[in-house]
Amino acid sequence: MWRPIDTEFYSPRLPVSIVDVEGDGVGLRTLLEGVQCVVHLHSIGTPNDFLKVISQGAAVPRYVIIDGHGTEHGLHFREETGGIDSPVLKEGCLGPELIRERANLPDATVINLTCLGGERRMADAFLAGRIRAYIGSRTCHDGRAMRLYLAHLIYNVTVRNMSDRDAWYRAVRDTDHPDIDLLSFYHPDGREERFSREAVEQARA
């Protein structure tokens, strides 16, 4: 697991990688560095670049954040970039079948910020890579709300020392946005947890 010297500082940093597939990797890096992370930014050019990153094995950091665009077919690539590795794409997307074959991210938590990244097939694809947990959205969401959620989530981990599951739950609750309520948390055994705003309101009553 990637452990840069920053993890040994007086105020230690959390190792995170951003896998930027035509997303806003630079903006996300700034956000994450503001909540005590040391960030490795992967600017993905082709589908095979992405597959290399998700198959890196022991070099993976504790958290892997995927930013880009998703459809019901998988992770979307623009024609001018996807065309380089076009045989691996279906409907312009890198699907969960190939991701499942290549995923090797032992003990990492994968946070997929793409639309529909929390659907069961995509979650199972990454879980096959021996990850610790997987978080993704079951809908096409508001990108601004997703960034607020991510700030809450990482703050819960770095400052509140919460487990991944508890950090996910509190971040969804505190973001208080209907799209973010549709973020699923997948345990390493494949069990899916879904947030219930109704249950929160009942507990407060």
Side-chain angles (χ1 to χ4, degrees), residues 3 8 11 27 39 56 90 96 100 107 115 142 151 153 172 175 183 187 192 195 198:
R3 291 187 59 83
E8 301 176 19
S11 179
V39 180
Q56 63 186 288
K90 295 180 179 178
R100 185 185 187 100
D107 210 31
C115 291
D142 183 309
L153 175 72
V172 173
T175 304
L183 281 166
H187 295 264
E192 178 188 8
F195 179 83
E198 181 180 358

Tab-separated table of all heavy atoms in Angstrom, residues 3 8 11 27 39 56 90 96 100 107 115 142 151 153 172 175 183 187 192 195 198:
chain	number	residue	atom	x	y	z
A	3	ARG	N	2.422	4.438	0.955
A	3	ARG	CA	2.546	5.156	2.221
A	3	ARG	C	3.640	6.207	2.098
A	3	ARG	O	4.795	5.963	2.488
A	3	ARG	CB	2.845	4.198	3.373
A	3	ARG	CG	1.683	3.275	3.735
A	3	ARG	CD	1.985	2.468	4.986
A	3	ARG	NE	2.242	3.327	6.125
A	3	ARG	CZ	1.287	3.867	6.885
A	3	ARG	NH1	0.018	3.635	6.602
A	3	ARG	NH2	1.603	4.636	7.915
A	8	GLU	N	3.722	10.195	7.977
A	8	GLU	CA	4.481	10.190	9.226
A	8	GLU	C	4.681	11.594	9.792
A	8	GLU	O	5.428	11.778	10.750
A	8	GLU	CB	5.840	9.523	8.990
A	8	GLU	CG	5.725	8.087	8.500
A	8	GLU	CD	7.071	7.470	8.176
A	8	GLU	OE1	8.106	7.998	8.653
A	8	GLU	OE2	7.094	6.471	7.444
A	11	SER	N	1.218	16.071	11.835
A	11	SER	CA	-0.199	16.006	11.475
A	11	SER	C	-0.285	15.146	10.217
A	11	SER	O	-0.173	15.645	9.101
A	11	SER	CB	-0.748	17.407	11.196
A	11	SER	OG	-2.106	17.362	10.820
A	27	GLY	N	-9.447	20.127	-9.365
A	27	GLY	CA	-10.329	20.687	-8.347
A	27	GLY	C	-10.505	19.753	-7.164
A	27	GLY	O	-10.494	20.183	-6.000
A	39	VAL	N	-2.265	13.570	-2.100
A	39	VAL	CA	-3.022	13.111	-3.265
A	39	VAL	C	-2.103	12.765	-4.430
A	39	VAL	O	-1.213	13.533	-4.791
A	39	VAL	CB	-4.030	14.193	-3.712
A	39	VAL	CG1	-4.828	13.715	-4.924
A	39	VAL	CG2	-4.977	14.559	-2.560
A	56	GLN	N	-3.039	-2.061	-10.104
A	56	GLN	CA	-1.688	-1.788	-9.606
A	56	GLN	C	-1.289	-2.608	-8.390
A	56	GLN	O	-0.126	-2.605	-7.989
A	56	GLN	CB	-1.531	-0.304	-9.297
A	56	GLN	CG	-2.441	0.218	-8.210
A	56	GLN	CD	-2.331	1.720	-8.053
A	56	GLN	OE1	-1.337	2.232	-7.551
A	56	GLN	NE2	-3.341	2.436	-8.497
A	90	LYS	N	-17.628	-0.741	-25.038
A	90	LYS	CA	-18.953	-1.051	-25.561
A	90	LYS	C	-19.823	0.179	-25.373
A	90	LYS	O	-19.919	0.694	-24.257
A	90	LYS	CB	-19.563	-2.250	-24.827
A	90	LYS	CG	-18.819	-3.560	-25.047
A	90	LYS	CD	-19.486	-4.710	-24.297
A	90	LYS	CE	-18.740	-6.015	-24.541
A	90	LYS	NZ	-19.357	-7.152	-23.775
A	96	PRO	N	-18.291	-3.176	-16.640
A	96	PRO	CA	-17.867	-3.871	-15.420
A	96	PRO	C	-17.213	-5.224	-15.662
A	96	PRO	O	-16.420	-5.684	-14.843
A	96	PRO	CB	-19.169	-4.009	-14.620
A	96	PRO	CG	-20.269	-3.831	-15.613
A	96	PRO	CD	-19.743	-2.920	-16.664
A	100	ARG	N	-13.816	-6.070	-13.794
A	100	ARG	CA	-13.748	-7.215	-12.875
A	100	ARG	C	-12.520	-8.081	-13.162
A	100	ARG	O	-11.865	-8.572	-12.235
A	100	ARG	CB	-15.025	-8.051	-13.012
A	100	ARG	CG	-15.113	-9.208	-12.017
A	100	ARG	CD	-16.321	-10.077	-12.278
A	100	ARG	NE	-16.481	-11.063	-11.230
A	100	ARG	CZ	-17.323	-10.954	-10.214
A	100	ARG	NH1	-18.112	-9.901	-10.118
A	100	ARG	NH2	-17.399	-11.882	-9.290
A	107	ASP	N	-7.243	-3.991	-0.173
A	107	ASP	CA	-7.469	-3.242	1.060
A	107	ASP	C	-7.749	-1.756	0.835
A	107	ASP	O	-7.756	-0.982	1.788
A	107	ASP	CB	-6.288	-3.398	2.016
A	107	ASP	CG	-6.729	-3.315	3.473
A	107	ASP	OD1	-7.870	-3.720	3.769
A	107	ASP	OD2	-5.957	-2.814	4.306
A	115	CYS	N	-21.829	8.994	-12.399
A	115	CYS	CA	-23.242	8.627	-12.412
A	115	CYS	C	-23.373	7.109	-12.556
A	115	CYS	O	-22.645	6.485	-13.326
A	115	CYS	CB	-23.962	9.307	-13.579
A	115	CYS	SG	-24.134	11.086	-13.399
A	142	ASP	N	-26.290	15.404	-8.795
A	142	ASP	CA	-25.799	16.782	-8.837
A	142	ASP	C	-24.311	16.778	-8.466
A	142	ASP	O	-23.940	16.377	-7.357
A	142	ASP	CB	-26.615	17.620	-7.844
A	142	ASP	CG	-26.235	19.090	-7.851
A	142	ASP	OD1	-25.035	19.403	-7.746
A	142	ASP	OD2	-27.145	19.926	-7.946
A	151	ALA	N	-16.224	15.939	0.653
A	151	ALA	CA	-15.548	16.692	1.715
A	151	ALA	C	-15.998	16.203	3.086
A	151	ALA	O	-15.182	16.006	3.993
A	151	ALA	CB	-15.820	18.181	1.557
A	153	LEU	N	-17.204	13.223	3.801
A	153	LEU	CA	-16.728	11.856	3.990
A	153	LEU	C	-15.279	11.823	4.451
A	153	LEU	O	-14.945	11.171	5.458
A	153	LEU	CB	-16.870	11.081	2.668
A	153	LEU	CG	-16.296	9.664	2.660
A	153	LEU	CD1	-17.158	8.728	3.497
A	153	LEU	CD2	-16.170	9.135	1.243
A	172	VAL	N	-23.547	11.255	4.091
A	172	VAL	CA	-24.823	11.291	3.362
A	172	VAL	C	-25.855	12.067	4.166
A	172	VAL	O	-26.554	12.946	3.639
A	172	VAL	CB	-25.318	9.863	3.063
A	172	VAL	CG1	-26.721	9.910	2.450
A	172	VAL	CG2	-24.372	9.142	2.118
A	175	THR	N	-24.958	15.899	4.223
A	175	THR	CA	-25.091	16.592	2.938
A	175	THR	C	-26.546	16.933	2.653
A	175	THR	O	-26.853	17.983	2.079
A	175	THR	CB	-24.507	15.737	1.798
A	175	THR	OG1	-23.146	15.422	2.104
A	175	THR	CG2	-24.560	16.480	0.468
A	183	LEU	N	-26.524	7.119	-2.523
A	183	LEU	CA	-25.192	6.521	-2.510
A	183	LEU	C	-25.227	5.221	-1.705
A	183	LEU	O	-25.657	5.206	-0.557
A	183	LEU	CB	-24.181	7.474	-1.879
A	183	LEU	CG	-23.655	8.605	-2.762
A	183	LEU	CD1	-22.942	9.650	-1.914
A	183	LEU	CD2	-22.723	8.055	-3.819
A	187	HIS	N	-20.008	-3.581	1.398
A	187	HIS	CA	-19.026	-4.226	2.258
A	187	HIS	C	-18.203	-5.227	1.429
A	187	HIS	O	-18.622	-5.632	0.337
A	187	HIS	CB	-19.728	-4.937	3.409
A	187	HIS	CG	-20.444	-4.010	4.335
A	187	HIS	ND1	-19.890	-3.550	5.512
A	187	HIS	CD2	-21.676	-3.426	4.256
A	187	HIS	CE1	-20.742	-2.740	6.130
A	187	HIS	NE2	-21.835	-2.646	5.383
A	192	GLU	N	-24.799	-4.858	0.490
A	192	GLU	CA	-25.060	-3.455	0.178
A	192	GLU	C	-25.874	-2.805	1.290
A	192	GLU	O	-26.863	-3.362	1.759
A	192	GLU	CB	-25.837	-3.336	-1.133
A	192	GLU	CG	-26.181	-1.905	-1.508
A	192	GLU	CD	-27.110	-1.801	-2.711
A	192	GLU	OE1	-27.610	-2.860	-3.175
A	192	GLU	OE2	-27.360	-0.675	-3.182
A	195	PHE	N	-28.898	4.199	2.427
A	195	PHE	CA	-29.275	5.218	3.399
A	195	PHE	C	-30.777	5.442	3.342
A	195	PHE	O	-31.391	5.418	2.268
A	195	PHE	CB	-28.550	6.523	3.081
A	195	PHE	CG	-28.891	7.658	4.004
A	195	PHE	CD1	-28.261	7.797	5.223
A	195	PHE	CD2	-29.850	8.590	3.634
A	195	PHE	CE1	-28.575	8.845	6.072
A	195	PHE	CE2	-30.169	9.644	4.469
A	195	PHE	CZ	-29.530	9.765	5.694
A	198	GLU	N	-35.852	8.658	5.716
A	198	GLU	CA	-37.042	8.469	6.554
A	198	GLU	C	-36.663	7.947	7.937
A	198	GLU	O	-37.185	8.401	8.954
A	198	GLU	CB	-38.007	7.499	5.877
A	198	GLU	CG	-39.293	7.243	6.651
A	198	GLU	CD	-40.223	6.270	5.960
A	198	GLU	OE1	-39.880	5.807	4.846
A	198	GLU	OE2	-41.290	5.976	6.515
